Amino acid sequence: MSASESQQRRWQDALLIAKILTIDPGGLGGVWLKSSVGPVRDYWLDYFKRVVDTQIPVIKIPHHADETALLGGLDLLQTLQLQHKVYTQGLLSQAASGVVILSMAERLQVHTAACITQAFDATHQFGLIALDESMGSEEEQLLPRIQERLAFKIEFDDLSYRDCEAEYQPHAIEKFRERLAQIEVPDVAIEAITTAAQGLGIDSLRAIYFAIRASKVIAALRGGDQLTQEDIQTATRLVFAHRITALPQQTPANEQSSD
């Protein structure tokens, strides 16, 4: 595969991830978008928002948002004025069944990350697009507790804007979600995904779960009612690629059987 073909495939994968995330944000956690600010990242974010087309909430949260902003709490000003307790709705509650876009995610404080992950683990009702602008600095990196809860990772810094094209067309999210609920995962598919993870040195049960969920969404997007081998292969590639710690051992072609 040439360098140009490789870049085009990565861009098409990024577009597919955008579609997948709109269908099952809570089940897949979200995407670690590691890229500096630039036209390619902006293009992808614009594509994602147009695919959504107001069908699900998309809430932008700054990295410095405090606990009250995220989770809600007592509104002191309104409480004093109205003489009864008034509570605000947190930003994470507003994102139910939708997606949170977290800007400058590499600067996220531990306490803020804990609020986000606790809310996610408790509800699984929203996904997260973590915009990581770090440039390899050890001081500023997306916290591991956030990384592990995101099914996908996208990197754009070496992609050319000229190679990135997309058709802006919203899709019927609820229709795909209804189809997704009807797709069952056979035991043989779970076994294949688990075996693939083990062969790649991936010991995360969460990653295996993400690959299973992604397989179902991909099947729903193509209009299928059951998984195919291609659905599973695509899902495992998208979920496992950045998690690989080992390569499968191959038997040398000239190795002869002892029989």
Side-chain angles (χ1 to χ4, degrees):
M1 182 182 298
S2 68
S4 177
E5 290 173 336
S6 177
Q7 287 196 346
Q8 290 176 6
R9 179 173 179 176
R10 286 175 54 205
W11 175 247
Q12 292 303 316
D13 282 350
L15 298 183
L16 177 56
I17 288 171
K19 293 179 179 179
I20 292 171
L21 188 57
T22 65
I23 306 304
D24 190 19
L28 291 165
V31 55
W32 174 13
L33 206 170
K34 186 172 176 57
S35 171
S36 55
V37 177
V40 177
R41 194 187 81 168
D42 290 346
Y43 192 7
W44 185 87
L45 287 170
D46 190 42
Y47 174 83
F48 174 80
K49 292 173 183 177
R50 294 202 185 196
V51 169
V52 168
D53 191 33
T54 72
Q55 297 175 77
I56 60 174
V58 177
I59 307 296
K60 190 169 184 179
I61 294 179
H63 71 279
H64 52 73
D66 60 20
E67 184 173 352
T68 300
L70 292 173
L71 304 178
L74 185 66
D75 188 324
L76 293 176
L77 181 60
Q78 288 292 313
T79 296
L80 291 173
Q81 289 179 346
L82 300 175
Q83 296 299 303
H84 63 81
K85 291 183 179 180
V86 177
Y87 293 90
T88 60
Q89 184 184 26
L91 292 170
L92 297 179
S93 295
Q94 296 176 33
S97 298
V99 173
V100 168
I101 298 179
L102 181 62
S103 60
M104 295 185 178
E106 76 281 0
R107 299 186 183 182
L108 197 65
Q109 297 299 310
V110 173
H111 178 69
T112 305
C115 290
I116 293 174
T117 55
Q118 287 173 8
F120 174 80
D121 291 344
T123 66
H124 290 280
Q125 289 187 351
F126 64 89
L128 178 68
I129 297 177
L131 303 181
D132 178 0
E133 300 172 14
S134 62
M135 302 298 291
S137 169
E138 294 184 0
E139 296 180 358
E140 290 188 347
Q141 292 188 5
L142 186 65
L143 293 170
R145 69 184 306 161
I146 297 291
Q147 291 183 27
E148 69 182 15
R149 285 170 170 80
L150 307 179
F152 309 109
K153 182 180 181 182
I154 298 173
E155 297 185 73
F156 283 145
D157 282 341
D158 60 347
L159 289 185
S160 171
Y161 181 76
R162 292 173 296 181
D163 295 330
C164 300
E165 297 182 359
E167 295 183 4
Y168 290 108
Q169 183 176 359
H171 59 199
I173 292 175
E174 286 303 322
K175 180 186 74 173
F176 287 119
R177 287 181 174 180
E178 291 174 3
R179 183 177 293 153
L180 174 65
Q182 304 301 317
I183 298 175
E184 296 184 357
V185 182
D187 291 342
V188 65
I190 297 175
E191 182 178 352
I193 291 171
T194 302
T195 300
Q198 293 173 344
L200 296 171
I202 299 170
D203 58 5
S204 167
L205 292 177
R206 197 188 299 267
I208 293 172
Y209 171 78
F210 285 153
I212 293 170
R213 297 286 300 193
S215 298
K216 293 180 61 177
V217 177
I218 291 169
L221 283 170
R222 66 171 175 79
D225 56 6
Q226 57 185 358
L227 298 185
T228 66
Q229 184 176 0
E230 186 175 355
D231 297 331
I232 296 171
Q233 289 175 341
T234 301
T236 53
R237 174 166 55 81
L238 296 178
V239 174
F240 290 167
H242 64 287
R243 293 180 163 91
I244 295 173
T245 62
L247 294 177
Q249 295 183 352
Q250 296 183 350
T251 303
N254 60 352
E255 184 176 300
Q256 299 296 321
S257 172
S258 60
D259 294 339

